[in-house]
Amino acid sequence: MSTYPTVKFLTSAAEAHQLSPDTGLEIAFAGRSNSGKSTAINVITQRSGLARVSRTPGRTQLINFFELAPDRRLVDLPGYGFAKVPHKVRTRWLQLMEHYFNVRESLVGLMLIVDSRRGLGAQDAAMLEWVLARDRQAHILLTKTDKLNRRDALRVLHDTKAACSDTAVTTQLFSANAGQGLEEARTVMERWLG
Ligand SMILES: Nc1nc2c(ncn2[C@@H]2O[C@H](COP(=O)(O)OP(=O)(O)O)[C@@H](O)[C@H]2O)c(=O)[nH]1
Ligand SMILES: [Mg+2]
């Protein structure tokens, strides 16, 4: 049986005032464009079309809210790290993210989606600092491990854990294609959502 049999899209927010009501508990997914965020959301919730998967990194800067169960949400934050976006777009992204992290009381934790072939970057580290500074939990999914051999995957896991060793951040390997790490990710989410 699906862990979230009633998961459904709730709403999109392009502006601060459009966030869904701040009740209950929610988990935010963040990461670079093309890191595998939408794919991870789809396989974790077992809904193939829930979050759209793109080959070309999208420029839409929307916060998408999904309801996992009553008063339990998954939030798809707009991706970052896309080199060619205009300065204005980047400023808007920053303002929307800062607003979200500053006001959101229902936020319990951040799932940080990192391409295992790239490893943790400066912007990923900045996202972690934001949530840790606000006393929220964080868990890193090192995605697309089917593209690495086992030795390289274990090395990036080790390096990422080492980079976060003075924090409570946890890290795991993940592959949507190979079905690796699904239960581990769901267990973290279940723990956070109580
Ligand atoms: N090989 C492999 N490709 C993946 C995996 N997860 C995502 N991708 C691919 O990576 C690309 C970007 O994925 P997407 O989920 O749209 O990334 P997002 O921009 O972070 O939402 C797509 O072509 C996906 O099919 C994975 O686990 N393994
Ligand atoms: Mg996406």
Side-chain angles (χ1 to χ4, degrees), residues 15 18 37 69 72 76 107 110 117 139 146 189 191:
E15 317 259 350
Q18 294 169 332
K37 199 156 52 78
R72 296 291 182 272
D76 186 6
L107 176 68
L110 181 81
R117 297 167 300 177
H139 183 73
D146 55 284
M189 290 175 60
R191 199 173 70 232

Side-chain angles (χ1 to χ4, degrees), residues 37-38 52-54 76:
K37 199 156 52 78
S38 299
R52 273 186 301 150
V53 175
S54 59
D76 186 6

Side-chain angles (χ1 to χ4, degrees), residues 32 34-39 53-54 144 146-147 175-177:
R32 287 181 65 100
N34 214 39
S35 60
K37 199 156 52 78
S38 299
T39 307
V53 175
S54 59
K144 311 190 193 183
D146 55 284
K147 301 252 192 189
S175 166
N177 287 32

Side-chain angles (χ1 to χ4, degrees), residues 37-70:
K37 199 156 52 78
S38 299
T39 307
I41 289 170
N42 289 341
V43 296
I44 287 170
T45 60
Q46 295 175 281
R47 280 301 181 87
S48 52
L50 194 64
R52 273 186 301 150
V53 175
S54 59
R55 270 168 211 289
T56 48
R59 293 180 180 225
T60 42
Q61 303 228 303
L62 294 175
I63 299 181
N64 293 309
F65 292 87
F66 302 94
E67 186 182 86
L68 297 169

Side-chain angles (χ1 to χ4, degrees), residues 27-187:
I27 295 173
F29 279 59
R32 287 181 65 100
S33 299
N34 214 39
S35 60
K37 199 156 52 78
S38 299
T39 307
I41 289 170
N42 289 341
V43 296
I44 287 170
T45 60
Q46 295 175 281
R47 280 301 181 87
S48 52
L50 194 64
R52 273 186 301 150
V53 175
S54 59
R55 270 168 211 289
T56 48
R59 293 180 180 225
T60 42
Q61 303 228 303
L62 294 175
I63 299 181
N64 293 309
F65 292 87
F66 302 94
E67 186 182 86
L68 297 169
D71 258 345
R72 296 291 182 272
R73 288 177 305 277
L74 185 163
V75 183
D76 186 6
L77 296 174
Y80 47 84
F82 196 37
K84 291 197 178 77
V85 298
H87 181 71
K88 243 170 82 178
V89 175
R90 228 176 286 192
T91 306
R92 272 204 56 206
W93 178 88
L94 193 62
Q95 283 171 348
L96 189 58
M97 288 297 91
E98 278 188 328
H99 175 79
Y100 173 80
F101 284 110
N102 284 339
V103 302
R104 210 63 184 164
E105 296 197 348
S106 54
L107 176 68
V108 286
L110 181 81
M111 295 290 260
L112 186 67
I113 312 305
V114 175
D115 189 325
S116 60
R117 297 167 300 177
R118 278 182 170 271
L120 206 62
Q123 280 171 297
D124 300 316
M127 292 297 291
L128 287 177
E129 272 173 36
W130 271 4
V131 295
L132 295 176
R134 289 161 179 80
D135 286 326
R136 282 2 188 253
Q137 317 252 30
H139 183 73
I140 301 171
L141 298 187
L142 294 167
T143 62
K144 311 190 193 183
T145 54
D146 55 284
K147 301 252 192 189
L148 293 180
N149 64 41
R150 183 161 169 78
R151 195 167 144 229
D152 289 344
L154 289 175
R155 189 169 42 80
V156 69
L157 178 64
H158 175 271
D159 291 351
T160 308
K161 283 181 170 172
C164 300
S165 62
D166 55 350
T167 71
V169 178
T170 49
T171 306
Q172 68 161 99
L173 299 176
F174 188 88
S175 166
N177 287 32
Q180 181 185 20
L182 293 178
E183 277 316 307
E184 197 176 347
R186 290 189 191 116
T187 301

